[in-house]
Amino acid sequence: MIYMDNAATTMQKPEAVKQAVLAAMDSLGNAGRGASSPALDASRVIYAARDALARLFHAESPSRIAFTANSTESLNIAIKGLFAPGDHVITTVLEHNSVLRPLYECRERGLELTILGCDEKGNISYDEMERAIRDNTKAVVCTHASNLTGNMIDPYRVGAITGRHGILYVLDASQSAGVWPIDVQKMGIDVLCFTGHKSLLGPQGTGGMYVRTGVEIRPLLSGGSGVDTYNPRHPSQMPTALEAGTLNGHGIAGLGAAVRYLEETGLDRIRERELSLMRRFYEGVSRVSGIVVYGDFTVRERAPIVSFNIRDYDSSEVSDELNETYGIVTRPGAHCAPLMHRALGTVEQGAVRFSFSHFNTEEEVDAAIQAVKELSQEEKEV
């Protein structure tokens, strides 16, 4: 099998991640619930992961990192916990449904929403973003990288805009964390939402969010916290404020090991490897007759994603053929990115997405290129 669906989840994990999860399952109790050795060991493992993530994102303190199950939970906490009826929020057509659906729910309750469009290559206008700001604008909520085209938004430019106007900046780093460096303080990010199971190379069911000091988010959940038991209200201090209930200590142990692997290997090295594989694939398929590739490949800064279609061939059929005949795993369809597909005119056809890991090889990329060439030729002959 050739696995090229890493934007959905990375399947090949570092060995240290697997070992950390196994060790945690054999030894960890419930963090913050008692002073037994297993409970204290769990607290130490979770804190170590929190500290590693704070270093990775340049947070001002490990306490500003709260754990969740994934980006979707993080984004729901941020969006539903920051905004009120009458607030105005700006977002983009690049967004995943994990951003759009919570915003739509808030809009039904009185939130005002502006959705920025894009050009034919899937790029947004920063001037348009700034012009969209109103007196009641509360925040810009946007992705760092499109999970369909791989196009990236410049976080420094967005942070400069939100900083000039004194509004919040919420960034979805689902497709960038673990590939591109993120410095929440230099970029002016108020809330960063991330998932553990993609390029951070952690287990599924892990994720989290960074919340800048001074930013208050209404908790989505309340309940057990291990502290302040007799308070009828959930504790307000970070990270406990956003971590009701028992954390996924076993998964977080794996996520902590994954971040340490990223630190030891080096994000620059990983990113250059993935972008090199992506470019090799793009250059191999973009010149094939009948192939339409989506996104802007004239820029260097992008996620390691290539999405395309073969003439009017249904993307699901192409992906199925790649899997069944060639053993190549890809992602077809709508990718939970409805507005981006509407912008590209691919609502009915969808798109075939290849997404790369530094564990992929040049030989796998070349095999994928050959498979696409053969499928394109088959379609032409039909």
Side-chain angles (χ1 to χ4, degrees):
M1 178 180 68
I2 297 175
Y3 187 81
M4 293 184 170
D5 193 19
N6 293 281
T9 191
T10 49
M11 192 173 67
Q12 189 169 350
K13 311 290 186 181
E15 185 62 29
V17 173
K18 305 171 193 176
Q19 294 303 319
V21 174
L22 287 173
M25 293 185 75
D26 283 338
S27 62
L28 297 192
N30 198 334
R33 275 69 171 178
S36 66
S37 294
L40 292 174
D41 286 344
S43 294
R44 294 185 187 102
V45 166
I46 289 171
Y47 180 82
R50 204 186 302 279
D51 186 53
L53 286 161
R55 289 196 307 272
L56 183 68
F57 298 132
H58 300 272
E60 57 267 34
S61 165
S63 67
R64 306 315 299 176
I65 303 291
F67 287 111
T68 65
N70 44 52
S71 286
T72 298
E73 183 177 348
S74 298
L75 287 160
N76 271 265
I77 290 170
I79 291 168
K80 295 175 181 178
L82 285 172
F83 309 136
D87 288 339
H88 174 239
V89 170
I90 300 167
T91 191
T92 80
V93 296
L94 279 67
E95 308 309 314
H96 188 279
N97 271 334
S98 56
V99 170
L100 295 174
R101 285 175 172 164
L103 285 173
Y104 292 157
E105 289 179 29
C106 290
R107 185 171 62 181
E108 291 173 359
R109 296 191 289 270
L111 180 77
E112 297 175 20
L113 184 62
T114 295
I115 302 175
L116 302 178
C118 65
D119 63 19
E120 66 280 0
K121 289 187 176 181
N123 295 312
I124 67 161
S125 165
Y126 299 97
D127 290 338
E128 183 183 351
M129 177 181 286
E130 191 152 19
R131 286 195 300 269
I133 294 174
R134 310 171 186 169
D135 290 342
N136 64 331
T137 301
K138 185 71 177 288
V140 172
V141 182
C142 64
T143 187
H144 193 180
S146 166
N147 73 320
L148 174 57
T149 65
N151 288 8
M152 296 185 70
I153 286 177
D154 185 341
Y156 288 100
R157 292 187 70 175
V158 178
I161 291 170
T162 57
R164 278 196 298 271
H165 294 272
I167 61 178
L168 295 173
Y169 179 16
V170 180
L171 184 69
D172 173 11
S174 298
Q175 296 297 335
S176 58
V179 180
W180 285 94
I182 296 173
D183 188 323
V184 292
Q185 297 188 71
K186 289 183 178 179
M187 293 174 173
I189 298 167
D190 294 292
V191 180
L192 178 77
C193 299
F194 58 90
T195 195
H197 70 101
K198 297 188 181 185
S199 292
L200 284 178
L201 301 176
Q204 294 179 5
T206 63
M209 55 197 303
Y210 157 81
V211 181
R212 183 184 295 281
T213 302
V215 175
E216 300 289 336
I217 297 178
R218 296 184 302 276
L220 186 66
L221 302 174
S222 59
S225 60
V227 297
D228 209 7
T229 294
Y230 295 102
N231 187 344
R233 299 182 64 84
H234 194 77
S236 59
Q237 72 270 23
M238 281 286 291
T240 309
L242 303 180
E243 291 182 343
T246 296
L247 292 175
N248 177 10
H250 303 147
I252 291 169
L255 179 58
V259 175
R260 288 188 289 274
Y261 168 86
L262 294 174
E263 289 178 321
E264 293 166 3
T265 306
L267 251 60
D268 290 348
R269 177 181 172 191
I270 290 171
R271 182 175 63 259
E272 291 305 317
R273 171 68 176 168
E274 293 182 358
L275 292 179
S276 173
L277 294 171
M278 177 209 71
R279 289 286 177 187
R280 186 184 187 101
F281 180 77
Y282 169 74
E283 290 168 5
V285 302
S286 61
R287 294 189 291 269
V288 175
S289 175
I291 297 290
V292 177
V293 180
Y294 306 103
D296 189 350
F297 288 83
T298 66
V299 296
R300 180 182 178 278
E301 295 194 354
R302 54 175 292 108
I305 290 170
V306 179
S307 294
F308 65 86
N309 277 311
I310 302 176
R311 297 183 180 85
D312 60 352
Y313 209 27
D314 184 84
S315 63
S316 294
E317 293 183 37
V318 174
S319 187
D320 286 346
E321 188 69 17
L322 286 167
N323 186 34
E324 295 298 324
T325 302
Y326 300 95
I328 301 171
V329 178
T330 60
R331 170 77 186 277
H335 312 89
C336 301
L339 300 186
M340 195 70 250
H341 275 284
R342 288 190 185 119
L344 296 172
T346 53
V347 170
E348 298 300 324
Q349 189 177 14
V352 182
R353 183 184 70 192
F354 282 73
S355 46
F356 302 90
S357 162
H358 67 293
F359 290 119
N360 286 128
T361 66
E362 285 82 0
E363 291 76 17
E364 289 177 331
V365 169
D366 291 344
I369 293 169
Q370 182 61 32
V372 171
K373 288 179 177 178
E374 290 177 12
L375 288 178
S376 178
Q377 185 62 33
E378 286 177 13
E379 173 63 9
K380 185 176 180 180
E381 291 173 354
V382 171

